[in-house]
Amino acid sequence: MGLHNTNTVQCVWKAHAKLGEGPVWSVKQQALYWVDILNRQLHRFSEYLEQNTWQFDEEISSVAERAESPGLIVTLRHGFAFFDPEIPKLERLAQPEQHLPGNRFNDGKCDQLGRFWAGTLDFDCQAPTGSLYCLSPDLSCSKMDSGYGVTNGPAWSADQKTMYHNDSKNGRVYAFDFDLKAGRLSNKRLFLQFTKEDGSPDGMTTDAEGGLWIAHWGAGSVTRHDAEGKVLQTIQLPCSQVSSCAFGGSELKTLYITTASVGLTPQQLEHEPLAGGLFAIDMAIAGVPANTFRG
């Protein structure tokens, strides 16, 4: 599916993560934060600094930097929290799914005005109990959509008029009309339907030219799509469970890709010794700086 990139994909951290996810590049620190959800770990990768890992008491699933304050905002099992890795200090915020013990938070990102959008899923990835939430800079939390098997994404078009969000369990990439100023979604529609051969649409990012990059869980690849959904480029990885991607590096021209080892048989792990690693590939296209949380 699509053109193959001639550059090589390199494993830059043989982390053997159970469920590597949520990569986000810190321009300030020139480092990549990413998580291992099931091992309850936050990682920081840098070519210049030592690698760091922080251990949590519950699942940590996504992360963004704070705009005005030191530290990060993260999603934990049932809600949002501030976390300052340098202290380290955790401060819990809205917990919208404490009443759903079978659910947990999954993927999340900030929009251009500094709101944090994050989705949930059924821990067993079976029941359609996942919802999409938006945490505003004033720390109020709203449910924006529901009925998902497994939420992943979100990502925004270059003009900020479209938001993409995935129901990975059903192989669907949805598009919404996005009102940036109001933080509202409307006109939910199917943007892409993955086939079994495509795997499941997982984490996503967009580049400076408006291309949408989607990780293919179960199919060992990342694809770049145009505004109509057409595949423009394919990157193959030596791992089947590709979970997310984000641009980083000094010029935002390195695509970082997270992977997972959870659920693989001993035979599969033998064929995929780098499963759960963090990968990087140099790109001709640049990404855009990750949005920060303004609360």
Side-chain angles (χ1 to χ4, degrees), residues 240-257:
S240 55
Q241 296 182 158
V242 180
S243 53
S244 194
C245 53
F247 283 91
S250 56
E251 297 179 341
L252 295 176
K253 283 189 170 179
T254 301
L255 187 67
Y256 288 100
I257 303 166

Side-chain angles (χ1 to χ4, degrees), residues 117-166:
W117 297 74
T120 60
L121 51 75
D122 166 34
F123 220 116
D124 297 327
C125 301
Q126 295 301 320
T129 54
S131 295
L132 175 64
Y133 295 89
C134 178
L135 186 76
S136 297
D138 67 4
L139 304 184
S140 62
C141 182
S142 309
K143 186 190 285 192
M144 309 303 287
D145 198 20
S146 56
Y148 288 83
V150 174
T151 56
N152 267 300
W156 288 269
S157 61
D159 63 7
Q160 305 299 305
K161 290 182 176 173
T162 305
M163 189 178 107
Y164 302 99
H165 193 233
N166 296 340

Side-chain angles (χ1 to χ4, degrees), residues 52-189:
N52 300 93
T53 297
W54 293 269
Q55 186 68 47
F56 287 75
D57 295 333
E58 60 190 277
E59 295 75 21
I60 174 169
S61 62
S62 68
V63 54
E65 281 193 293
R66 296 179 69 185
E68 309 300 334
S69 308
L72 312 166
I73 183 166
V74 301
T75 48
L76 300 173
R77 186 182 297 174
H78 295 313
F80 300 85
F82 288 140
F83 178 67
D84 189 340
E86 305 308 325
I87 302 177
K89 183 190 172 198
L90 187 71
E91 179 192 340
R92 290 182 194 276
L93 306 168
Q95 306 289 306
E97 293 210 342
Q98 275 182 312
H99 63 295
L100 296 171
N103 269 22
R104 69 161 174 81
F105 267 84
N106 199 40
D107 211 353
K109 281 193 190 74
C110 290
D111 67 24
Q112 253 189 10
L113 291 185
R115 308 176 192 94
F116 194 25
W117 297 74
T120 60
L121 51 75
D122 166 34
F123 220 116
D124 297 327
C125 301
Q126 295 301 320
T129 54
S131 295
L132 175 64
Y133 295 89
C134 178
L135 186 76
S136 297
D138 67 4
L139 304 184
S140 62
C141 182
S142 309
K143 186 190 285 192
M144 309 303 287
D145 198 20
S146 56
Y148 288 83
V150 174
T151 56
N152 267 300
W156 288 269
S157 61
D159 63 7
Q160 305 299 305
K161 290 182 176 173
T162 305
M163 189 178 107
Y164 302 99
H165 193 233
N166 296 340
D167 186 343
S168 305
K169 181 171 174 14
N170 295 305
R172 292 173 189 153
V173 181
Y174 290 110
F176 297 82
D177 291 346
F178 182 64
D179 182 335
L180 175 64
K181 194 176 174 188
R184 276 201 294 267
L185 302 175
S186 58
N187 188 25
K188 181 180 182 180
R189 57 204 180 271

